[in-house]
Amino acid sequence: MKEEIISLSQKARNNIFFKNKIELRCNCGHSEKITYYEFLTGGEFNIGQATSTVSPFISETIYDETISVTPLYLSKRCATCDEELTVVFPIALEALILILRSNPPDPQMYG
Ligand SMILES: [Zn+2]
């Protein structure tokens, strides 16, 4: 699964979505920003434990629909104090895969 995410992310590198940034902030005051692309293609993230949550898209006819949500984590050492920083990717694995798979193919393929 992890390899699939990395490979899909590399193909989607021109997607504007991947230019979003995540900030890592340490207690010592050090902070740095990495892009979604760096997070996903760096290969340093971990896939967390899936949890079930109630779907935000509940309609009047469906009451107890639950969806599976799997978090992605990245651990990184602080460049200043060597403390381990953990950041959670803002989008769950399941939603991320949908975004990655819906990415249009590289236009150069049709050049
Ligand atoms: Zn620090």
Side-chain angles (χ1 to χ4, degrees):
M1 179 52 90
K2 187 170 166 177
E3 282 70 27
E4 187 183 359
I5 295 168
I6 295 171
S7 134
L8 285 170
S9 301
Q10 285 169 342
K11 284 181 197 148
R13 66 184 172 280
N14 294 323
N15 191 327
I16 193 85
F17 168 76
F18 284 96
K19 297 189 171 36
N20 283 310
K21 287 181 179 164
I22 306 170
E23 186 169 28
L24 289 93
R25 195 178 280 278
C26 180
N27 290 331
C28 77
H30 175 83
S31 73
E32 59 182 283
K33 287 179 179 168
I34 58 166
T35 61
Y36 286 11
Y37 183 75
E38 287 166 338
F39 185 112
L40 295 167
T41 59
E44 289 174 354
F45 63 86
N46 295 301
I47 297 172
Q49 197 70 41
T51 55
S52 289
T53 188
V54 176
S55 170
F57 306 110
I58 292 180
S59 71
E60 289 177 2
T61 52
I62 306 169
Y63 288 97
D64 288 318
E65 191 184 13
T66 56
I67 53 169
S68 179
V69 174
T70 308
L72 297 175
Y73 298 98
L74 178 71
S75 291
K76 210 174 191 308
R77 292 262 174 213
C78 172
T80 305
C81 71
D82 208 36
E83 195 70 31
E84 190 170 86
L85 309 176
T86 302
V87 63
V88 181
F89 197 68
I91 296 156
L93 173 66
E94 289 77 6
L96 177 66
I97 292 284
L98 289 179
I99 293 168
L100 291 173
R101 290 202 175 132
S102 68
N103 193 60
D106 193 330
Q108 286 177 354
M109 282 172 66
Y110 301 101

